[in-house]
Amino acid sequence: MALTAGDPLWYYKVLGLHCDGANNSTTFTDVKGKTVTANGNAKISTAQYPSLTGKSSSGYVDGTGDYLTVPDSADWDFGTGDFGVRITARFSGVSTLQALISNYQNSTTGFSMVFDGVNSKLQFLNGTTALLDVAWSPSANTWYVIEVSRSGTSLRGFVD
């Protein structure tokens, strides 16, 4: 279900990058209005996008110094509350460590969702401490919906 302004869950969404746009555009629009900056060669691509979504583009980073930044916000400070972090991703290679989303600040502060292709696992970390560490061996060139969420004291990871 897509979250839109008419959706009762809209209030809970704090960032939404649909990565819609023209091929090679470096404009990434957040549905909640946060400023997003493309770094390196990060861009919109019409060559690859998740099928069956009605989309005709996606965000593209080639793994060599490409990333998106969003200014720091209290929205990223999950504390002990419930949260969900979701990303749709496609890997061209699955043998390296790949940060999917992160606000890592130092060894004890900030979260990261990473795919560790060296050890075949999905991790969710606080600083450098793994809070979730599950075996996962994705296939290259396949789209995945990856989510980590916490409800109460239960932290869970989901793929597709």
Side-chain angles (χ1 to χ4, degrees):
M1 172 173 74
L3 294 178
T4 63
D7 190 298
L9 299 177
W10 180 253
Y11 169 80
Y12 297 103
K13 190 173 199 172
V14 296
L15 180 72
L17 301 178
H18 295 179
C19 301
D20 297 326
N23 197 44
N24 295 318
S25 170
T26 57
T27 300
F28 290 82
T29 304
D30 169 37
V31 298
K32 296 296 277 199
K34 289 185 174 63
T35 301
V36 181
T37 304
N39 297 273
N41 295 321
K43 61 185 177 182
I44 301 292
S45 172
T46 57
Q48 295 291 332
Y49 48 88
S51 62
L52 304 176
T53 62
K55 296 182 60 55
S56 60
S57 62
S58 64
Y60 176 80
V61 295
D62 64 15
T64 307
D66 305 337
Y67 57 96
L68 303 175
T69 57
V70 179
D72 194 19
S73 168
D75 290 337
W76 323 139
D77 301 332
F78 302 141
T80 58
D82 296 348
F83 69 85
V85 176
R86 179 184 306 161
I87 185 170
T88 301
R90 176 182 175 272
F91 307 98
S92 59
V94 292
S95 61
T96 61
L97 181 65
Q98 301 178 50
L100 303 175
I101 187 168
S102 175
N103 83 330
Y104 176 87
Q105 297 168 24
N106 59 49
S107 64
T108 61
T109 307
F111 75 90
S112 298
M113 181 192 302
V114 300
F115 166 61
D116 178 354
V118 175
N119 298 299
S120 299
K121 56 187 175 179
L122 176 65
Q123 293 183 307
F124 190 80
L125 304 109
N126 180 42
T128 56
T129 302
L131 304 177
L132 181 74
D133 192 354
V134 294
W136 183 44
S137 297
S139 298
N141 302 314
T142 301
W143 285 98
Y144 295 95
V145 176
I146 306 158
E147 180 175 347
V148 173
S149 64
R150 180 174 60 205
S151 178
T153 58
S154 298
L155 185 67
R156 297 178 180 96
F158 303 91
V159 176
D160 283 342

